[in-house]
Amino acid sequence: MPEASARKLSTADERRDTVLRTAIGAFAARGYYGTTTGEVAKSAGISQAYVYRLFPDKEALFLAVVEHCFARIRDGFAEGAAAADGGSAEAVLWAMGDTYARLIGSETALLAVQMHAQCAALSEPAVREVVQRGYARAVEYVRSVSGGTEAQVQDFFARGALCHLVVASAADSVDAPWATTLAAGIRHYE
């Protein structure tokens, strides 16, 4: 009797990763409030009940997505720091900023999830806590790797926030004084 083709079943960890990657795109497109677990399940090719086996509710799924995005950003910072041309705080911060600009240019969902998380943090305490922890880790990492002063680290994150605004509003493509002012000196890659 011919052997039936064996279908490889994915593990819960693999399914969790699939759901997480799918949820990043869904939450990036529609935000925390506009995304349903049913949409995520359908996109991931699994049942909504299975999503709930992996994540107890939509909030837990969103929190996992936000944490994943912070981890990806931290990895990007590490890549930038490793590629820095010199060990001065300025060189390391510049390299990390350049890598981050490239990251949000190529992984636009990452930027969208960050912005949606910051908006949801205004009214959702659990989201606020995850955003606070994510920034706490990011700031401490940037401070320790760059050796930058408080002012340099603050400027690094301020420029990152301005970069978000420039990218989200496409200010770098607007020919107007306000846009020129905001986009001046901000690196942007597509």
Side-chain angles (χ1 to χ4, degrees), residues 25-101:
F27 284 120
R30 299 181 43 120
Y32 177 64
Y33 299 106
T35 303
T36 67
T37 55
E39 292 166 340
V40 172
K42 185 176 180 182
S43 296
I46 61 175
S47 70
Q48 187 173 10
Y50 198 79
V51 171
Y52 285 121
R53 282 186 61 200
L54 300 170
F55 300 93
D57 54 28
K58 181 172 88 168
E59 180 180 78
L61 176 58
F62 186 68
L63 298 178
V65 164
V66 173
E67 288 173 343
H68 174 82
C69 289
F70 271 111
R72 179 65 188 105
I73 292 164
R74 197 260 183 220
D75 291 345
F77 288 164
E79 292 167 19
D85 187 21
S88 70
E90 294 81 7
V92 174
L93 290 167
W94 191 94
M96 285 193 294
D98 190 62
T99 300
Y100 181 71

Side-chain angles (χ1 to χ4, degrees), residues 112-149:
V113 167
Q114 287 180 80
M115 296 179 82
H116 285 301
Q118 290 170 10
C119 289
L122 289 170
S123 57
E124 301 293 335
V127 176
R128 183 179 315 117
E129 289 174 17
V130 167
V131 169
Q132 287 173 344
R133 281 195 312 268
Y135 272 106
R137 286 190 300 266
V139 168
E140 291 311 315
Y141 180 79
V142 168
R143 181 191 338 266
S144 68
V145 169
S146 71
T149 65

Side-chain angles (χ1 to χ4, degrees), residues 8-21:
K8 182 181 180 247
L9 298 177
S10 60
T11 67
D13 286 341
E14 289 169 337
R15 285 287 193 186
R16 190 175 198 284
D17 186 57
T18 298
V19 170
L20 195 58
R21 282 185 282 111

